[in-house]
Amino acid sequence: MTSATVDRARLRELFDLRSSYNALTGGLYAGDPYPIWHDLRATGPVHEGTVHELTGHPGTLYFQGLPFPDRPHYSAFSYEACFEAFRNPEVFASSSEPVDPVSGAYGHDNSMLTMGGEQHHRYRGLVQPSFLPNNAKWWIRNWIEECVHELIEAFSSDGHAELNVDFCAAIPVLTITGSFGVPVEQALEIRACLNTDQARVIEILAPIVAARRSEPRDDLISVLVQAELTDENGVTQWLSDNEIYSFSLLLLSAGSGTTWKQMGMTITALLQRPDILDAVRQDRALVKAAIEETLRWTPTDPMFSRFVTEDIEFFGKEIPKGAVIHLCVGAANRDPERWEDPDVFDIYRKKRPTLAFGQGTHMCLGMHVARAEMTVGINALLDALPNLRLDRAAEQPEFVGMYERGATAIPVLFDVT
């Protein structure tokens, strides 16, 4: 990678949390939803209505499970209710329709993300080994480390930077496209087309897939073209181009969309607490603790949705077949029944599993890669930028968004050696 080829102005345009595209998911919401979610959880673990309606955010929003105006909607706010729904995919399904990645339209909505049962198990088993914790070094060595250090090198002599876009946003998109073998100069084009022109994304990926079929390399596309899938009849075959395209679109959407926001919120939380930042700087074992606490305290995706496949009584609510239930993991991760002083950002608290990456069979496939990106990135910043601190003369970062939450610009100062 050559960081000079990354257009920083284009990065800012593509990763503006308040853009017209992000407005569709509630990106313009600038309030703090947690007090409202606390009140909702205190009055009942499950409520009728969508999370944004119950939070007081008007209008129609688009996200997984939304808007579906013809279906009844319910929202869960307690840890126990969300956990139970995640762990019961037969009743709480990821898709309202059957998924056909072979002959259906390619896209992340027709991919492993929305599969269920044995179909999901088979497809996930193909690629999961590349995303297990013991393969994090593969990602770090091949893509993450070089990307992180070259991005820092681009501003390390300036004495100031805007970390949210110039650093956090660039890392995951360059990591994922790099693992596909996409040249850096096309990485941002892919990100720009991801939601508006997926045919162009496939046009870029198609020759790479074809090349890896004839000559595999040490990258993710090579893993996919060599993966063997055994169907329900015991017939073994390789993934089709359509299946690879759908999985690639899923990774591009999830990998380049969530990690940068979570990293930005982690860095912001530390910068806003200089004493904790200094403790982390002195003891790097605390970097992991800071990341895990931020995932609990303010996950970038505070809601997942599931489609109810049968009439069910669920935590005091009679929910009919065909309804959508929205699992507010942001509220669940601050459930006082599970965590003491849940609103406090405390990197020293006893670690307990959260729902930030979901739970059950659909637990986030890329969570270990995301953790690796954040860990390498934060450590590199602390190594390279002495006396890293918020630029108090600039507009301070805020957490915004309803269904995709993140920090606004993170202006920092640091000493130049």
Side-chain angles (χ1 to χ4, degrees):
M1 193 199 90
T2 302
S3 57
T5 63
V6 180
D7 186 337
R8 291 162 76 175
R10 185 65 169 142
L11 272 173
R12 293 189 182 97
E13 178 185 344
L14 291 174
F15 291 92
D16 179 5
L17 284 169
R18 292 165 172 161
S19 68
S20 58
Y21 170 74
N22 283 317
L24 296 175
T25 67
L28 300 179
Y29 180 80
D32 179 1
Y34 282 94
I36 300 172
W37 293 347
H38 279 315
D39 291 343
L40 287 164
R41 187 185 52 242
T43 56
V46 179
H47 293 261
E48 189 170 356
T50 68
V51 171
H52 70 274
E53 291 169 342
L54 293 165
T55 309
H57 187 65
T60 300
L61 297 186
Y62 297 81
F63 203 62
Q64 184 208 13
L66 292 169
F68 290 99
D70 56 329
R71 294 173 179 266
H73 291 259
Y74 295 80
S75 296
F77 293 90
S78 73
Y79 182 92
E80 187 179 359
C82 291
F83 182 85
E84 183 168 323
F86 276 127
R87 302 291 292 188
N88 189 354
E90 289 77 23
V91 175
F92 301 98
S94 296
S95 176
S96 60
E97 304 291 339
V99 177
D100 182 4
V102 178
S103 56
Y106 52 71
H108 65 269
D109 287 336
N110 199 28
S111 70
M112 187 175 63
L113 178 70
T114 49
M115 292 176 184
E118 183 58 28
Q119 182 189 37
H120 173 263
H121 177 73
R122 293 198 310 273
Y123 275 86
R124 188 178 178 107
L126 290 175
V127 294
Q128 185 156 331
S130 296
F131 292 88
L132 292 175
N134 57 6
N135 271 326
K137 290 183 179 179
W138 182 67
W139 288 88
I140 293 169
R141 180 184 67 250
N142 286 337
W143 302 289
I144 299 172
E145 205 161 45
E146 181 183 5
C147 171
V148 164
H149 289 298
E150 290 202 12
L151 287 169
I152 291 176
E153 186 178 347
F155 57 71
S156 60
S157 61
D158 297 342
H160 63 86
E162 194 291 284
L163 294 182
N164 196 37
V165 171
D166 291 350
F167 185 69
C168 299
I171 293 170
V173 71
L174 293 176
T175 296
I176 294 297
T177 54
S179 76
F180 290 169
V182 173
V184 174
E185 56 270 19
Q186 288 187 311
L188 297 189
E189 181 184 0
I190 281 183
R191 174 64 188 182
C193 295
L194 193 56
N195 299 308
T196 59
D197 188 5
Q198 291 189 345
R200 174 55 184 153
V201 178
I202 302 308
E203 185 180 325
I204 294 172
L205 293 179
I208 298 174
V209 172
R212 298 301 185 269
R213 286 198 188 281
S214 60
E215 188 177 342
R217 296 184 183 178
D218 188 23
D219 61 20
L220 192 58
I221 294 296
S222 297
V223 171
L224 294 176
V225 301
Q226 295 177 95
E228 295 182 346
L229 177 69
T230 302
D231 66 19
E232 61 273 14
N233 299 315
V235 177
T236 299
Q237 58 192 27
W238 286 294
L239 292 179
S240 67
D241 286 357
N242 253 26
E243 290 169 299
I244 292 174
Y245 297 153
S246 291
F247 184 73
S248 299
L249 289 167
L250 168 61
L251 280 182
L252 286 164
S253 177
S256 65
T258 57
T259 306
W260 73 275
K261 294 191 288 288
Q262 196 68 61
M263 188 186 305
M265 290 194 289
T266 303
I267 292 171
T268 298
L270 292 174
L271 288 166
Q272 290 175 336
R273 298 161 178 81
D275 56 331
I276 298 178
L277 177 62
D278 188 59
V280 172
R281 184 186 290 112
Q282 299 301 320
D283 180 2
R284 297 306 177 81
L286 293 175
V287 170
K288 180 180 179 181
I291 291 169
E292 296 305 315
E293 175 63 354
T294 310
L295 285 165
R296 182 202 68 82
W297 181 66
T298 180
T300 185
D301 289 334
M303 188 275 285
F304 297 88
S305 300
R306 294 292 185 264
F307 296 88
V308 181
T309 62
E310 62 183 56
D311 294 342
I312 186 173
E313 191 281 326
F314 190 68
F315 287 84
K317 294 291 183 181
E318 297 293 333
I319 301 180
K321 177 181 178 180
V324 186
I325 185 163
H326 306 284
L327 311 178
C328 188
V329 300
N333 280 355
R334 294 199 192 185
D335 191 332
E337 294 295 319
R338 185 169 176 80
W339 287 280
E340 186 178 352
D341 297 324
D343 291 321
V344 176
F345 179 81
D346 179 9
I347 67 172
Y348 300 103
R349 73 168 66 245
K350 181 180 178 180
K351 183 182 175 182
R352 303 189 70 181
T354 75
L355 300 178
F357 288 118
Q359 187 55 249
T361 58
H362 276 275
M363 198 165 187
C364 176
L365 181 69
M367 62 183 177
H368 301 301
V369 177
R371 287 183 170 111
E373 289 171 326
M374 289 188 279
T375 301
V376 173
I378 293 171
N379 272 306
L381 287 175
L382 296 177
D383 287 339
L385 307 179
N387 194 24
L388 180 65
R389 61 201 184 276
L390 281 172
D391 181 355
R392 296 296 180 181
E395 183 178 353
Q396 297 302 284
E398 297 178 351
F399 296 151
V400 299
M402 175 58 63
Y403 293 134
E404 294 184 40
R405 290 184 63 75
T408 55
I410 308 173
V412 296
L413 302 173
F414 47 88
D415 298 343
V416 177
T417 56

Short mmCIF file of all heavy atoms in Angstrom, two decimals, residues 47 51-52 56 80 98 140 150 157 172 203 211 247 261 276 280 294 333 339 347 377 386-387 396:
data_model
loop_
_atom_site.label_atom_id
_atom_site.label_comp_id
_atom_site.label_asym_id
_atom_site.label_seq_id
_atom_site.Cartn_x
_atom_site.Cartn_y
_atom_site.Cartn_z
N HIS A 47 -41.12 -4.13 24.08
CA HIS A 47 -42.18 -3.15 23.81
C HIS A 47 -42.64 -3.27 22.36
O HIS A 47 -41.87 -3.68 21.48
CB HIS A 47 -41.67 -1.72 24.04
CG HIS A 47 -41.36 -1.43 25.47
ND1 HIS A 47 -42.24 -0.76 26.30
CD2 HIS A 47 -40.27 -1.71 26.23
CE1 HIS A 47 -41.69 -0.63 27.50
NE2 HIS A 47 -40.50 -1.21 27.48
N VAL A 51 -37.31 0.56 17.52
CA VAL A 51 -36.40 1.23 18.46
C VAL A 51 -36.42 2.73 18.24
O VAL A 51 -36.49 3.50 19.21
CB VAL A 51 -34.97 0.66 18.33
CG1 VAL A 51 -33.99 1.50 19.14
CG2 VAL A 51 -34.92 -0.79 18.78
N HIS A 52 -36.36 3.18 17.00
CA HIS A 52 -36.30 4.63 16.78
C HIS A 52 -37.61 5.32 17.13
O HIS A 52 -37.60 6.42 17.67
CB HIS A 52 -35.84 4.96 15.35
CG HIS A 52 -36.83 4.64 14.27
ND1 HIS A 52 -36.92 3.40 13.69
CD2 HIS A 52 -37.75 5.42 13.63
CE1 HIS A 52 -37.84 3.42 12.75
NE2 HIS A 52 -38.38 4.63 12.70
N GLY A 56 -38.19 8.17 20.14
CA GLY A 56 -38.69 9.50 19.84
C GLY A 56 -38.11 10.10 18.58
O GLY A 56 -38.22 11.31 18.35
N GLU A 80 -31.30 -10.23 28.80
CA GLU A 80 -31.84 -11.58 28.79
C GLU A 80 -32.72 -11.81 27.56
O GLU A 80 -32.62 -12.85 26.90
CB GLU A 80 -32.65 -11.84 30.06
CG GLU A 80 -33.11 -13.27 30.21
CD GLU A 80 -33.90 -13.51 31.49
OE1 GLU A 80 -34.06 -12.54 32.28
OE2 GLU A 80 -34.34 -14.66 31.70
N PRO A 98 -36.44 -17.10 1.79
CA PRO A 98 -35.33 -18.05 1.55
C PRO A 98 -34.19 -17.36 0.83
O PRO A 98 -34.39 -16.43 0.04
CB PRO A 98 -35.99 -19.12 0.66
CG PRO A 98 -37.45 -18.99 0.90
CD PRO A 98 -37.70 -17.54 1.18
N ILE A 140 -2.93 -9.25 10.18
CA ILE A 140 -2.02 -8.19 10.62
C ILE A 140 -0.78 -8.13 9.72
O ILE A 140 -0.39 -7.06 9.24
CB ILE A 140 -1.61 -8.41 12.09
CG1 ILE A 140 -2.84 -8.21 13.01
CG2 ILE A 140 -0.49 -7.45 12.48
CD1 ILE A 140 -2.59 -8.66 14.44
N GLU A 150 1.57 3.29 7.38
CA GLU A 150 1.65 4.25 6.29
C GLU A 150 0.65 5.39 6.45
O GLU A 150 0.94 6.54 6.08
CB GLU A 150 1.46 3.54 4.95
CG GLU A 150 2.62 2.65 4.59
CD GLU A 150 2.72 2.37 3.10
OE1 GLU A 150 2.02 3.05 2.32
OE2 GLU A 150 3.49 1.48 2.72
N SER A 157 4.28 14.07 10.95
CA SER A 157 5.15 15.24 11.05
C SER A 157 4.37 16.55 11.12
O SER A 157 4.97 17.63 11.20
CB SER A 157 6.11 15.28 9.85
OG SER A 157 5.39 15.39 8.63
N PRO A 172 -10.08 -0.17 7.90
CA PRO A 172 -10.84 -1.36 7.51
C PRO A 172 -11.12 -1.47 6.03
O PRO A 172 -11.11 -2.57 5.47
CB PRO A 172 -12.13 -1.25 8.33
CG PRO A 172 -12.20 0.17 8.76
CD PRO A 172 -10.82 0.67 8.86
N GLU A 203 -17.68 -5.61 -11.24
CA GLU A 203 -16.82 -5.41 -12.41
C GLU A 203 -15.34 -5.36 -12.00
O GLU A 203 -14.47 -5.85 -12.72
CB GLU A 203 -17.23 -4.12 -13.12
CG GLU A 203 -16.51 -3.86 -14.43
CD GLU A 203 -16.98 -2.57 -15.08
OE1 GLU A 203 -18.18 -2.26 -14.98
OE2 GLU A 203 -16.14 -1.87 -15.69
N ALA A 211 -8.65 -14.59 -11.98
CA ALA A 211 -7.21 -14.79 -11.87
C ALA A 211 -6.87 -15.75 -10.74
O ALA A 211 -5.98 -16.61 -10.87
CB ALA A 211 -6.51 -13.45 -11.66
N PHE A 247 -20.64 -12.86 -0.98
CA PHE A 247 -19.86 -12.86 0.26
C PHE A 247 -18.92 -11.66 0.30
O PHE A 247 -18.74 -11.04 1.35
CB PHE A 247 -19.07 -14.17 0.37
CG PHE A 247 -18.31 -14.28 1.66
CD1 PHE A 247 -18.98 -14.54 2.85
CD2 PHE A 247 -16.94 -14.11 1.71
CE1 PHE A 247 -18.31 -14.63 4.05
CE2 PHE A 247 -16.24 -14.20 2.90
CZ PHE A 247 -16.93 -14.46 4.08
N LYS A 261 -16.06 3.01 12.79
CA LYS A 261 -16.83 3.77 13.78
C LYS A 261 -16.52 3.31 15.19
O LYS A 261 -16.41 4.12 16.12
CB LYS A 261 -18.33 3.66 13.47
CG LYS A 261 -18.74 4.32 12.16
CD LYS A 261 -20.24 4.43 12.01
CE LYS A 261 -20.93 3.12 11.74
NZ LYS A 261 -20.66 2.61 10.37
N ILE A 276 -7.21 7.94 31.89
CA ILE A 276 -7.33 6.56 31.38
C ILE A 276 -6.43 6.38 30.16
O ILE A 276 -5.77 5.34 30.01
CB ILE A 276 -8.79 6.23 31.05
CG1 ILE A 276 -9.65 6.31 32.32
CG2 ILE A 276 -8.90 4.85 30.42
CD1 ILE A 276 -11.12 6.03 32.09
N VAL A 280 -3.48 3.59 29.71
CA VAL A 280 -3.38 2.69 28.57
C VAL A 280 -2.03 2.84 27.88
O VAL A 280 -1.41 1.86 27.45
CB VAL A 280 -4.53 2.95 27.58
CG1 VAL A 280 -4.33 2.15 26.29
CG2 VAL A 280 -5.87 2.59 28.21
N THR A 294 -15.52 -0.35 25.34
CA THR A 294 -16.24 0.51 24.40
C THR A 294 -17.29 -0.29 23.65
O THR A 294 -18.40 0.21 23.39
CB THR A 294 -15.27 1.16 23.40
OG1 THR A 294 -14.19 1.76 24.10
CG2 THR A 294 -15.98 2.25 22.60
N ASN A 333 -26.51 -4.04 26.53
CA ASN A 333 -25.13 -3.97 27.02
C ASN A 333 -24.97 -3.03 28.21
O ASN A 333 -23.88 -2.96 28.79
CB ASN A 333 -24.19 -3.53 25.90
CG ASN A 333 -23.82 -4.65 24.97
OD1 ASN A 333 -24.18 -5.81 25.20
ND2 ASN A 333 -23.10 -4.33 23.92
N TRP A 339 -24.54 -5.61 34.67
CA TRP A 339 -23.35 -4.80 34.94
C TRP A 339 -23.63 -3.73 36.00
O TRP A 339 -24.66 -3.05 35.94
CB TRP A 339 -22.87 -4.10 33.67
CG TRP A 339 -22.23 -5.02 32.67
CD1 TRP A 339 -20.96 -5.52 32.69
CD2 TRP A 339 -22.85 -5.57 31.50
NE1 TRP A 339 -20.75 -6.33 31.60
CE2 TRP A 339 -21.89 -6.38 30.85
CE3 TRP A 339 -24.12 -5.46 30.93
CZ2 TRP A 339 -22.16 -7.07 29.67
CZ3 TRP A 339 -24.39 -6.14 29.76
CH2 TRP A 339 -23.41 -6.94 29.15
N ILE A 347 -12.66 0.71 32.14
CA ILE A 347 -11.86 -0.34 31.49
C ILE A 347 -11.36 -1.38 32.48
O ILE A 347 -10.81 -2.41 32.07
CB ILE A 347 -10.66 0.27 30.73
CG1 ILE A 347 -9.65 0.90 31.69
CG2 ILE A 347 -11.13 1.27 29.69
CD1 ILE A 347 -8.37 1.35 31.00
N GLY A 377 -4.09 -0.50 15.46
CA GLY A 377 -4.23 0.93 15.20
C GLY A 377 -3.99 1.78 16.42
O GLY A 377 -3.23 2.77 16.39
N PRO A 386 3.65 11.18 20.35
CA PRO A 386 3.84 11.54 21.76
C PRO A 386 2.86 12.63 22.20
O PRO A 386 2.52 13.53 21.43
CB PRO A 386 5.29 12.07 21.79
CG PRO A 386 5.94 11.54 20.56
CD PRO A 386 4.86 11.42 19.53
N ASN A 387 2.41 12.48 23.45
CA ASN A 387 1.51 13.47 24.04
C ASN A 387 0.24 13.66 23.20
O ASN A 387 -0.26 14.77 23.03
CB ASN A 387 2.23 14.82 24.21
CG ASN A 387 1.46 15.77 25.13
OD1 ASN A 387 0.66 15.35 25.97
ND2 ASN A 387 1.69 17.06 24.96
N GLN A 396 -15.36 19.65 19.21
CA GLN A 396 -15.10 18.38 19.89
C GLN A 396 -15.95 17.25 19.32
O GLN A 396 -17.08 17.46 18.86
CB GLN A 396 -15.35 18.53 21.39
CG GLN A 396 -14.42 19.54 22.06
CD GLN A 396 -12.95 19.18 21.88
OE1 GLN A 396 -12.43 18.28 22.52
NE2 GLN A 396 -12.26 19.89 20.98
#
